[in-house]
Amino acid sequence: MSRIKHFNLPDLGEGLVEGEIIKWLVQVGDEIELNQPIVEVETAKAAVEIPAKWGGKVVQIHYPEGTTVEVGNPIISIDTDPAAGEAPEPSAASLAAVEVAPAEGSVEPGLIGGPAPKANAVLVGYGPKTPSAKRRPRKTDGAPAAAAAPVAPVVPAPAPPVEPPAPAPGAGRSDQVALAKPPVRKLAKDLGVDLGTLVGSGPQGSITRDDVLAAQNGGAAPVAAPSVAAVPAGAREQRIPVKGVRKLTAENMVASAFTAPHVTVFLTVDMTRTMQAIDRLRVLPDWREVRISPLLLLAKAVLLAAKRHPMVNSTWAGDEIIVKDYVNLGIAAATERGLIVPNIKDADRLSLRGLADALTALVQTAKSGKTPPADMSGGTLTITNVGVFGVDAGTPILPPGESAIIAFGAVREMPWVHEGQIQIRQVTQLAMSFDHRIIDGELGAKYLRDVGAFLSDPEATLLAWT
Amino acid sequence: MAKGGSPPDGELVQLLTPEGERIESVTGSDGTVYRADFTDEEYRGLYRDLVIVRKLDAEATALQRQGELGIWASLLGQEAAQVGSGRALRSQDMAFPTYREHGVLYCRGIDPIMPLGLFRGVDQGGWDPNEFKFNMYTIVIGAQTLHATGYAMGVTMDGKTGTDDGEAVIAYFGDGATSQGDVNEAFIWAGVFNAPLVFFCQNNQYAISEPLERQTRIPLYRRAGGFGFPGIRVDGNDVLASYAVTRAALDHARLGQGPTLIEAYTYRMGAHTTNDDPTRYRIASEVEAWQAKDPIKRVRAFLEREQVADAAFFAEVDEQAKRESLHLRERVLEMPDPSPMTLFDNVYPNGSPLVDQERERFGQYLASFEGSAH
């Protein structure tokens, strides 16, 4: 047994996975006694002093103060017999060989898993997440048990493989006891499947029913389906196949969220004048039959502001940025089938009246579920009207290929400072997410500010911009 | 030695002041005279108990910090309440502990390694409650008071009360447990059925992090009045008073005169358990104030003042405590993992055909893995 003993950070409180080294109370070279406080460690539950597990001389401190250490990692090494002269420097090899807490001595085999180094067993000591200390040790024949445990965890990482590897009869059979629950063991026995030949896909590499069934059928794929169907249809869970709009939405959101770095900026706007403008428009003879909504005016603002800042209407194409001089304005619409984003082609060329008609048609078509696929592709800039659901703002995810999306919050009567006085005004929140690869914060802010300026004072802005 | 007297309402029965001054006797409001007259050897024995119990407890706390125990509930500061009441028990008396009664366990003659096996997760506690007249540690707060009440009612039904040699039962619990339904139900049943039971509440001022004022509007011992039996408050850091008050209450019970609630007024110097950080909810000055009332220091001061013990004695006790704690450590580190077959032990007192059958099948099941990788 080595003189140098390595003290691993224990689980100080039933299921903790890490602790922060607050303060070392000893230094390398210090002679220390058993149970002398050596370090203050703070966990999620408490800040505690850890007493030395062995007396001797401190030969190595593995982590500086302020470090967060995973449970099970060595934090201090102690020469337990410094009087005997120079001790070998602790090395990676000695760390591995000494494993944990050698003071426990030999342990009788008892558990089903066979002999286990003490610190790897039972409830105490080293928490649930440590790579070496938690998993059931697997030793190769002839190798000392002490060396085997922490060095090479054969068990695959917790993330299960997509498909259980096909068994290779006669080859790759582990001599170790495989992890499997008793019903799975029974199934394997009944089917004549040797658990030792399988690689488990369950937690901690345990072998599941599916693994056994797959092995029995000589392959992985075919058995997966029936075994899934065999899951009892519990009344407390519902299983919805992922397809159609849901599947498309999911793919688009994931594709966008994990490729375009999103930034969202917010602006609160007094749009009382816009609301007044809508009221005035409604009484014009030509507009009697037309549906005029705040969304229409926002769409106009988005289009006009895009003319002033063309880069927001662009696409990241890897080695180049495609800036478009047309706007296909997408409108996110909630339908019975789910979220769809049809767009109005060349919306920037439409008059306000034309835009109103297109918007009405788009919404009606979407609600009836008859939006043709062509209407849903080729969008360049998108509005999502979250205000219709009664919320004020969101951080929308970009439709793939677009570089900006504007969320339109609910228009509310709010106290607002207007011309030096607190008045009740109609206020909304705008949020714009943009692709930070293309749009810097300054451009994003300027663009959203222009959209807000239009809503604050549409008449003056129109005169100034056009 | 100071004169005796009656404790004013709400104050403690105290026979040894924090400065180590003996008070000859205290007369309770019902006329009971509390006194503790020990031989010199017995005084020294109480001191030895206190020191060893504290040292073993500290060793267990250290072992938890070193990853050798899953959790530990330290008794630090409560040694006098536990040793005093534990030594007051007679061999026929039955005790129902919480999970913190390591001092009482020690006084019952149980190997102190036993609870460490429980908190190491390698056994269920290990001692035979009937042999030692000390029930298993109860983790569920207050549940043991009902067990104790039922047991005590059984003692009455067996006709084992009413004489000087009668049996009595003691139930330990804390201040937080007094808010539990179980404890209040136990009070009612014990009161109504005149059970030979001593409710020994160690009021250590905190229910984990909740202070006493979140448990009660009146001193806890006065709760007993509402349930129809006497209550008394004792200085729980005074081993002599804890002994005297418990002894009197046990005798009261064994003579068939019913239950008593003892509130041992003390302080938990350490954390609730090793998972707890008391600095988050109590101030250092409060802890310091209680350090001045330390249960061991006052006994030592008394022994020195009365020249009952000399420096060699104190050194010898310290040496013994150190030796026993090291021995405890070595044995903890060597504790074997349990055999799965022990699952079936102690399920029924006289065995059961069903359990026998299950044991046999499980044995066959385990044997089926031998020589195979299954």
Side-chain angles (χ1 to χ4, degrees), chain A residues 208-231:
Chain A
T208 66
R209 283 185 79 81
D210 289 352
D211 295 338
V212 173
L213 290 170
Q216 191 224 359
N217 284 275
V223 286
S227 65
V228 168
V231 172

Side-chain angles (χ1 to χ4, degrees), chain B residues 176-198:
Chain B
T178 62
S179 298
Q180 292 280 355
D182 281 11
V183 173
N184 289 274
E185 290 162 25
F187 286 173
I188 291 168
W189 280 77
V192 168
F193 290 94
N194 212 41
L197 178 56
V198 176

